[in-house]
C-alpha cells in the first residue's frame, strides 16, 4: 500500500472507541478524506499535535478497502492562533468549515481547500472584517458549486446600468430593474468584485463597508436556497 502525504485542514473530529478518532480532512490534492487516527486521544500520542483544528497540517495516510484511510503521520504546518483567541472568530471559522464539509464530496477539487485556507488566513487577521469574509466566502462557495447569479444582464439580456435600482429574483438568479428595488448598481458591482478579487484587494476599497450587509443577506439567501447549508 502506498502512503499519501498532503496538506490538510480538519473539517470534523469524532471520538471512536477508547482512544481513537475519526477525522474528516479537506486536502490540497486528494479531496475530502476520512481517516482513522489510532490512539490519538492517549497522552503523548504522536499524531495529536498534527491534527489540530483551525490549522493547516501535513498528514500521511494509507488508503484501505473501507472508506476510512489510516493516518500514519501528522505534522502541524500553520496554526491560526488569532482565531482561537477570539470566540467570535472561532465560531465563525467553525461555521464556514461546516458549510464546506456539507457541500463537498470525497472527490472534490482543490479549489475547496484553497477557499478554506484563504478563509482561515483572513479570519486570523484581526483587522479583516468578519462580514466581508463571510460575504466573500459564500460568494466563492456558490461559484465553485455552480450557482452564480447573473451580474451583468437582466432577464431581457439588457446590460445592468449604473445609477439604477434593481430587484433580485431568486429562482432565476437575475436582477430586474425596479424604481423601488433593494439593490443599487453599487451593490451589484460589489457582488462582482467578491467573485473575482481577493479579500486583501477588497479591503482596500473605500466605503465598501456600507454595502457589505445587504449583499451578505442576499448571498446567504442564495446559499441556503441552492446549497441547503
Amino acid at each position: 500500500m502506498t502512503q499519501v502525504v498532503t496538506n490538510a485542514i480538519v473539517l470534523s473530529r469524532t471520538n471512536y472507541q477508547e482512544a481513537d478518532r475519526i477525522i474528516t480532512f479537506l486536502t490540497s490534492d486528494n479531496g475530502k478524506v476520512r481517516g482513522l487516527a489510532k490512539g490519538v486521544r492517549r497522552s503523548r500520542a504522536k499524531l495529536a499535535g498534527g491534527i489540530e483544528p483551525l490549522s493547516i497540517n501535513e498528514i500521511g495516510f494509507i488508503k484501505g478497502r473501507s472508506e476510512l484511510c489510516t493516518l500514519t503521520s501528522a505534522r502541524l504546518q500553520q496554526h491560526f492562533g488569532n482565531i482561537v483567541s477570539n470566540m467570535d472568530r472561532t465560531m465563525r471559522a467553525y461555521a464556514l468549515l461546516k458549510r464546506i464539509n456539507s457541500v463537498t464530496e470525497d472527490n472534490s477539487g482543490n479549489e475547496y481547500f484553497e477557499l478554506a485556507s484563504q478563509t482561515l488566513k483572513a479570519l486570523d487577521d484581526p483587522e479583516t472584517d468578519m462580514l466581508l469574509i463571510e460575504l466573500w466566502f459564500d460568494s466563492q462557495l456558490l461559484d465553485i458549486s455552480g450557482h452564480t447569479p447573473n451580474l451583468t444582464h437582466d432577464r431581457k439580456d439588457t446590460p445592468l446600468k449604473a445609477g439604477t435600482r434593481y430587484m433580485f429574483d431568486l429562482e432565476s438568479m437575475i436582477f430586474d430593474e425596479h424604481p423601488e428595488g433593494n439593490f443599487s448598481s453599487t451593490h451589484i458591482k460589489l457582488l462582482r468584485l467578491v467573485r473575482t478579487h481577493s479579500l486583501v484587494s477588497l479591503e482596500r476599497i473605500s466605503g465598501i463597508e456600507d454595502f457589505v450587509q445587504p449583499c451578505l443577506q442576499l448571498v446567504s439567501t442564495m446559499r441556503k436556497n441552492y446549497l441547503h447549508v
Side-chain angles (χ1 to χ4, degrees):
M1 292 182 287
T2 303
Q3 177 175 260
V4 177
V5 178
T6 184
N7 287 334
I9 294 170
V10 173
L11 294 179
S12 67
R13 303 191 301 178
T14 303
N15 290 343
Y16 180 70
Q17 295 187 347
E18 291 186 5
D20 304 339
R21 276 200 179 106
I22 295 174
I23 304 176
T24 301
F25 292 99
L26 187 64
T27 70
S28 59
D29 51 14
N30 282 267
K32 189 161 69 172
V33 173
R34 293 176 182 85
L36 179 63
K38 295 181 179 180
V40 75
R41 291 158 55 203
R42 294 193 181 102
S43 60
R44 299 182 182 179
K46 292 182 179 180
L47 293 176
I51 50 176
E52 288 296 315
L54 307 183
S55 304
I56 296 177
N57 310 275
E58 182 187 83
I59 63 168
F61 62 88
I62 296 174
K63 294 182 179 180
R65 293 183 179 179
S66 72
E67 66 175 16
L68 284 179
C69 65
T70 300
L71 263 70
T72 56
S73 64
R75 183 166 63 93
L76 183 67
Q77 293 279 69
Q78 183 176 5
H79 180 59
F80 300 105
N82 289 332
I83 296 179
V84 298
S85 65
N86 182 290
M87 181 59 68
D88 290 339
R89 288 182 177 268
T90 299
M91 297 306 294
R92 189 67 58 101
Y94 279 124
L96 299 186
L97 291 178
K98 184 177 180 180
R99 290 176 200 172
I100 290 183
N101 194 17
S102 296
V103 303
T104 49
E105 304 292 339
D106 290 352
N107 60 350
S108 59
N110 62 2
E111 62 268 24
Y112 288 103
F113 177 84
E114 288 301 317
L115 174 59
S117 61
Q118 291 302 314
T119 300
L120 291 178
K121 290 174 184 177
L123 284 169
D124 199 52
D125 181 355
E127 300 300 318
T128 304
D129 180 68
M130 285 195 293
L131 294 182
L132 179 60
I133 294 172
E134 186 162 4
L135 170 61
W136 180 85
F137 174 90
D138 277 353
S139 297
Q140 297 291 321
L141 190 63
L142 282 164
D143 202 20
I144 294 171
S145 303
H147 299 286
T148 304
N150 190 330
L151 300 174
T152 59
H153 291 75
D154 64 18
R155 69 178 64 253
K156 297 178 181 178
D157 205 31
T158 302
L160 303 179
K161 300 174 290 187
T164 305
R165 304 294 303 186
Y166 291 93
M167 297 289 286
F168 184 75
D169 180 65
L170 185 60
E171 183 175 352
S172 62
M173 299 277 272
I174 286 176
F175 286 93
D176 289 312
E177 184 175 344
H178 193 286
E180 297 180 0
N182 297 324
F183 301 98
S184 68
S185 55
T186 305
H187 290 113
I188 297 171
K189 181 179 180 180
L190 176 56
L191 290 170
R192 291 194 199 109
L193 292 174
V194 295
R195 287 187 57 243
T196 59
H197 286 61
S198 67
L199 276 164
V200 173
S201 60
L202 290 172
E203 286 184 287
R204 298 171 182 161
I205 301 175
S206 177
I208 192 174
E209 61 278 359
D210 296 333
F211 300 92
V212 169
Q213 184 66 55
C215 289
L216 176 57
Q217 291 175 349
L218 176 60
V219 170
S220 295
T221 300
M222 286 189 275
R223 166 178 51 82
K224 293 172 185 176
N225 187 72
Y226 286 97
L227 302 182
H228 308 292
V229 296

